Amino acid sequence: MNALYERLSETDIRLLTVSVHEGAVASLELHTYPRSAAPEYDAVSYAWGDDASTTSVMCNGAPLAIRTSLFTALPFIHGSRPEPRTRPLWIDAVCLNQRDRREKAIHVSCMGEVYENATRTLVWLGEADDSSDLAMDNMESLTQKLLAVKDPNSLTVRQRLANYGLPPPDDPKWEALKSLQQRPWLFRLWTLQEIVLAKDAVLLCGCKSTSWDAVVALHRAAIQAELHIMVKADAERETPYKQAQIFITHVDFLRQHRGILTLCELLTLSVDRGYSVPVDRVWALLGLLNKNYQQHIRNARLVDYSDAAIAHYHETFLRITTFHIQRDPVLAMRIIEDNLRTARHPSLPSWCPDWHTDRGDMPLSRWPEARAGIPGGHSRRLEAYMRVTADSPSPSSSSSLELCGLEVDIVERVTASPGARMLDLDSYPWLSECLRIIHSTPFVPHGVYPATATGLIPASPTAAVDGSPIHPRRQKYTRAEELLKYVLYPPGTMLVSSPRTILRCNGRTFFATRAGRLGIGPAGLRADDRLCAMYGARTLWALRPLEGAVERCPGARESAFELLGSAYTPSLLKGEAWAGKSCEAMRRFTLR
């Protein structure tokens, strides 16, 4: 035990007092209080950064090594925060003993309460640069001018800017605001719960400060004025600025609807955020769950920051998934489905999500119309049959998951590779391969496709609106894209097709089945893989029979499978596989 840090009980909190002399940290003092009797304090939210160098400072009369970046920031945090500046601070890097894994495990699970109970949350964006003061000084005035914009659709961007006294597009103020919103703090995972749970959030950058509400007001005003200078979308890979805008939108929503999202929804929402160790992928979101859910997690002693837990993070993911299967099979089904992609730790069973390496596109189960495993397609809560079996008392890589469902079809042909760079001409070879599969597959009489699809797709235009000719390859690409969208989202499926729906093919394989169905599935899909409707699942599951699987009973088909991911075909979107079937028609699947 470090002499500076006494044992901290689960009901206590350490707070920090900073003494600054001539613009530098003179000393620190740590005091421990019962949480129920702690004084008012300000919690600090910041990005640790990549610089691991340390600086020694006196704390309670003894030397303490803290990160140099924090040592540099403390005088600014102390001097820039609004009055009163005498309140103690809570800073995780100092107030928690970073060398005590047990202490971290106990108090990380309560981190949300620390920010929730703080009088203010001070967000340290970093030191000032050439443009940050310009952004901080002009944020409020620009917001007011943006709010004055009326009927934005009737004006061009430049007309809106000029008519309402806003700076022109190339004005440094716009770039300064974009630069400010690309600071590292906005892209870290831990900062999500810290800002969502804050009672009163103040942003500090150098010697300037503003409220989080001012940032949200600017964001809303820019959207209302439809000024793409502020919210420009990128059809290709999203820019850091666009990601920052998404972060602001998510925080705004979560602050208004605290505790309503499930773990699987939060994991999807935060997929692009950065973190230091893989177990943070889950524990950094714990404070955003509802209070009862958090308590169940604590009671199960799942939070673990030991060296072994960090090194073998996949075991933590397996324990979390198993915990949900045993406690709430319906939620567990969503957790598994929302992460049915291709990348996972080799020691994990195929059915267990890997939230660290598996960070792909929006899962198919997020489509609101997807109800493939729900009889009749009615949106209702189904208690899915799920059971984990293992050779040892605790979950391990050899653990199996048993479910019930229907085998509905077998994959016959697939594209050689998954789709990539959709909406780009470079994807035309892949689209051409899809067309060859479509033309060689007779449309099945499932009431989804007409006798021929090609006759209902209008010819591609040969000239643009301004009369300029469209390149023949672009015409072919457009025709191929429209046909593929029609096959995947035909009339009557309730899936709305738009220019961006084709992006759902990114990272997915196009397939045809023995019964003539067409659809998209996981990247590793191949011929002879099974499409199955698991009872209670939202999507079809693509399974691969394991070689050498032992039959459960004489005459049974393969009983052990590898789970490949979610699959989609429009004729089995809304529970059609269950038509005329009873529960007795289901079979048991063992996934390994």
Side-chain angles (χ1 to χ4, degrees):
M1 175 67 66
N2 189 320
L4 181 62
Y5 293 100
E6 297 179 353
R7 181 72 69 181
L8 189 67
S9 77
E10 192 170 348
T11 57
D12 288 343
I13 186 173
R14 287 195 197 98
L15 298 176
L16 176 70
T17 301
V18 180
S19 296
V20 176
H21 179 66
E22 296 183 353
V25 176
S27 64
L28 307 175
E29 289 186 13
L30 280 171
H31 298 281
T32 303
Y33 304 91
R35 285 177 187 259
S36 59
E40 290 188 344
Y41 64 91
D42 292 340
V44 177
S45 174
Y46 69 107
W48 281 36
D50 298 327
D51 183 7
S53 62
T54 61
T55 299
S56 183
V57 62
M58 297 303 292
C59 182
N60 291 13
L64 174 67
I66 64 174
R67 289 202 175 201
T68 302
S69 57
L70 177 58
F71 179 83
T72 304
L74 280 174
F76 290 101
I77 295 173
H78 177 76
S80 300
R81 60 174 166 160
E83 296 288 354
R85 296 174 182 166
T86 55
R87 282 191 194 129
L89 300 172
W90 188 89
I91 304 176
D92 58 352
V94 179
C95 295
L96 292 180
N97 184 358
Q98 298 299 315
R99 296 183 178 181
D100 188 340
R101 297 292 190 185
R102 176 184 175 277
E103 179 174 305
K104 286 186 68 176
I106 292 173
H107 290 274
V108 161
S109 65
C110 304
M111 196 84 82
E113 294 180 11
V114 171
Y115 286 89
E116 202 170 16
N117 295 331
T119 304
R120 289 183 306 204
T121 294
L122 307 176
V123 175
W124 174 245
L125 295 179
E127 297 183 57
D129 60 20
D130 294 339
S131 64
S132 59
D133 285 355
L134 183 65
M136 299 286 274
D137 290 340
N138 286 278
M139 193 176 298
E140 185 175 347
S141 63
L142 288 174
T143 300
Q144 294 305 314
K145 292 179 179 179
L146 286 166
L147 289 172
V149 176
K150 305 299 182 185
D151 193 18
N153 289 325
S154 64
L155 302 171
T156 65
V157 169
R158 289 189 176 274
Q159 286 174 333
R160 273 171 267 168
L161 295 174
N163 290 4
Y164 292 92
L166 287 157
D170 56 352
D171 191 281
K173 295 185 183 69
W174 296 124
E175 290 305 317
L177 285 167
K178 290 182 181 181
S179 178
L180 185 70
Q181 294 184 27
Q182 293 182 54
R183 295 279 178 135
W185 178 86
L186 284 94
F187 303 96
R188 301 299 296 173
L189 182 57
W190 276 104
T191 59
L192 179 62
Q193 75 163 358
E194 293 166 5
I195 188 65
V196 167
L197 298 176
K199 292 177 183 175
D200 177 22
V202 179
L203 275 62
L204 310 174
C205 186
C207 296
K208 300 284 185 177
S209 65
T210 190
S211 69
W212 172 259
D213 290 341
V215 175
V216 175
L218 175 65
H219 176 64
R220 290 177 177 172
I223 293 176
Q224 177 181 312
E226 295 190 11
L227 281 169
H228 298 289
I229 291 172
M230 301 300 302
V231 292
K232 183 178 180 181
D234 190 344
E236 295 293 331
R237 187 171 182 177
E238 291 177 336
T239 63
Y241 176 71
K242 178 62 177 177
Q243 292 173 18
Q245 293 290 299
I246 292 172
F247 172 69
I248 295 170
T249 302
H250 287 165
V251 171
D252 192 28
F253 173 82
L254 291 170
R255 282 173 69 84
Q256 296 179 60
H257 306 89
R258 192 175 299 179
I260 69 168
L261 296 190
T262 62
L263 178 61
C264 52
E265 291 167 330
L266 289 169
L267 286 163
T268 300
L269 177 144
S270 61
V271 69
D272 293 323
R273 310 198 63 73
Y275 49 87
S276 300
V277 293
V279 292
D280 284 345
R281 184 74 179 90
V282 177
W283 303 141
L285 302 171
L286 189 57
L288 298 175
L289 302 168
N290 71 61
K291 296 296 184 182
N292 290 336
Y293 192 100
Q294 291 182 45
Q295 194 56 53
H296 286 304
I297 294 285
R298 293 193 194 103
N299 293 344
R301 304 285 182 184
L302 291 176
V303 183
D304 187 353
Y305 266 88
S306 66
D307 293 336
I310 291 174
H312 303 287
Y313 69 87
H314 58 283
E315 296 180 0
T316 296
F317 293 168
L318 184 55
R319 285 197 297 272
I320 293 169
T321 306
T322 303
F323 166 80
H324 285 90
I325 290 171
Q326 295 169 344
R327 182 175 176 271
D328 188 344
V330 175
L331 181 57
M333 180 71 81
R334 294 299 303 275
I335 288 175
I336 294 172
E337 277 197 293
D338 277 8
N339 294 273
L340 290 185
R341 306 180 188 120
T342 56
R344 72 174 189 274
H345 192 284
S347 296
L348 282 173
S350 66
W351 50 268
C352 182
D354 185 340
W355 295 294
H356 176 53
T357 60
D358 188 1
R359 308 177 77 185
D361 295 317
M362 180 66 71
L364 298 179
S365 57
R366 284 290 163 196
W367 295 359
E369 301 86 355
R371 297 187 292 274
I374 302 175
H378 301 298
S379 297
R380 62 176 185 240
R381 183 180 176 89
L382 293 177
E383 292 294 341
Y385 170 83
M386 304 178 79
R387 185 179 71 175
V388 174
T389 59
D391 297 332
S392 58
S394 59
S396 67
S397 59
S398 62
S399 299
S400 299
L401 178 65
E402 293 184 355
L403 307 96
C404 288
L406 303 173
E407 181 179 311
V408 295
D409 212 337
I410 298 177
V411 175
E412 187 170 65
R413 293 186 302 282
V414 298
T415 50
S417 61
R421 297 181 60 82
M422 306 309 297
L423 293 180
D424 191 295
L425 284 178
D426 289 344
S427 65
Y428 182 69
W430 185 81
L431 287 171
S432 298
E433 191 178 3
C434 294
L435 293 186
R436 287 193 293 271
I437 293 176
I438 292 171
H439 290 309
S440 64
T441 303
F443 288 104
V444 294
H446 288 300
V448 176
Y449 305 112
T452 174
T454 55
L456 297 180
I457 306 299
S460 301
T462 58
V465 177
D466 60 3
S468 59
I470 297 176
H471 193 279
R473 188 178 182 190
R474 169 60 71 180
Q475 295 180 41
K476 290 180 180 179
Y477 170 86
T478 303
R479 176 75 174 177
E481 182 187 281
E482 288 300 318
L483 178 56
L484 182 59
K485 284 196 296 185
Y486 185 88
V487 167
L488 291 178
Y489 318 115
T493 60
M494 297 172 58
L495 281 172
V496 178
S497 179
S498 74
R500 295 182 65 85
T501 54
I502 199 69
L503 293 176
R504 292 166 176 164
C505 295
N506 276 334
R508 296 189 169 100
T509 299
F510 185 79
F511 66 79
T513 69
R514 291 183 183 178
R517 296 183 173 94
L518 301 166
I520 51 176
L525 196 69
R526 64 187 187 217
D528 293 327
D529 289 335
R530 273 51 170 175
L531 299 183
C532 303
M534 297 300 175
Y535 186 75
R538 299 184 68 87
T539 63
L540 295 175
W541 289 17
L543 306 184
R544 178 169 298 156
L546 292 175
E547 295 182 8
V550 178
E551 294 184 349
R552 298 185 64 87
C553 59
R557 292 174 290 173
E558 303 94 341
S559 61
F561 296 85
E562 175 188 358
L563 177 57
L564 303 174
S566 285
Y568 158 77
T569 181
S571 62
L572 296 174
L573 177 68
K574 296 173 286 185
E576 293 89 344
W578 301 87
K581 301 283 198 313
S582 64
C583 290
E584 287 73 22
M586 291 194 297
R587 58 168 293 188
R588 185 169 297 180
F589 295 83
T590 300
L591 307 184
R592 294 177 182 168

